[in-house]
Amino acid sequence: RGFGARELSFVLYRSKARTSASPADVSDIVTTSLHLNAREGLTGFLHFDRGFLLQYLEGPPGPLARKIARIHKDRRHDEFTILADGDIDEWFFPDWDMGQISKDLLPTDGPLATHSWLLPVDSIDPLPLIEAFAAHAGRLQGAAIEQVD
């Protein structure tokens, strides 16, 4: 991604949509994020299921912290919960400024099939979840990724 030896951090959060979000609403979020994330050097994915948003973001710590602060203040979110954050050695989603993984195309077995991100926070093991989304996204080869060029 052209950031050299810069630090790399990540945040995985879950929030509940305050109002009913349509597929078009989620697509609008992804479209806006594509442009803003590219400018800030951030990558990640957004997943919407059962009224909850699950978003993973990675990138330089400063822009990432500012992005999370903006999201946390966004009135469209309720029950904003950081499930995991920290430093990582390499990008999980190096080619996605923002991708959306459709719930209809999730696998029917394994960590993604259990919808574990909807469990109480202390029951969530975030690293296998992130790895499963990254592996699944790679297997999809773009089929379920809604990206706008």
Side-chain angles (χ1 to χ4, degrees), residues 105-135:
L105 296 175
L106 288 178
T108 56
D109 61 351
L112 301 184
T114 64
H115 303 285
S116 65
W117 56 90
L118 298 173
L119 295 172
V121 173
D122 59 353
S123 301
I124 297 171
D125 189 358
L127 185 58
L129 183 62
I130 295 165
E131 289 172 337
F133 268 109

Side-chain angles (χ1 to χ4, degrees), residues 15-97:
S15 67
K16 186 171 184 173
R18 284 191 187 249
T19 60
S20 178
S22 71
D25 294 332
V26 176
S27 185
D28 286 346
I29 292 169
V30 171
T31 300
T32 301
S33 295
L34 276 168
H35 301 292
L36 296 176
N37 289 358
R39 190 170 54 215
E40 295 175 329
L42 302 174
T43 66
F45 74 83
L46 178 71
H47 178 69
F48 181 73
D49 193 2
R50 302 177 192 188
F52 284 89
L53 294 159
L54 178 74
Q55 187 167 24
Y56 172 84
L57 292 164
E58 61 190 13
L64 181 60
R66 289 188 293 276
K67 175 80 164 192
I68 291 299
R70 284 192 306 270
I71 292 169
H72 188 228
K73 292 177 185 176
D74 188 326
R75 293 181 182 256
R76 294 175 291 184
H77 296 270
D78 198 15
E79 301 177 30
F80 180 90
T81 305
I82 293 179
L83 302 175
D85 62 351
D87 296 325
I88 51 178
D89 294 328
E90 60 186 78
W91 302 88
F92 277 95
F93 296 89
D95 301 321
W96 291 20
D97 293 321

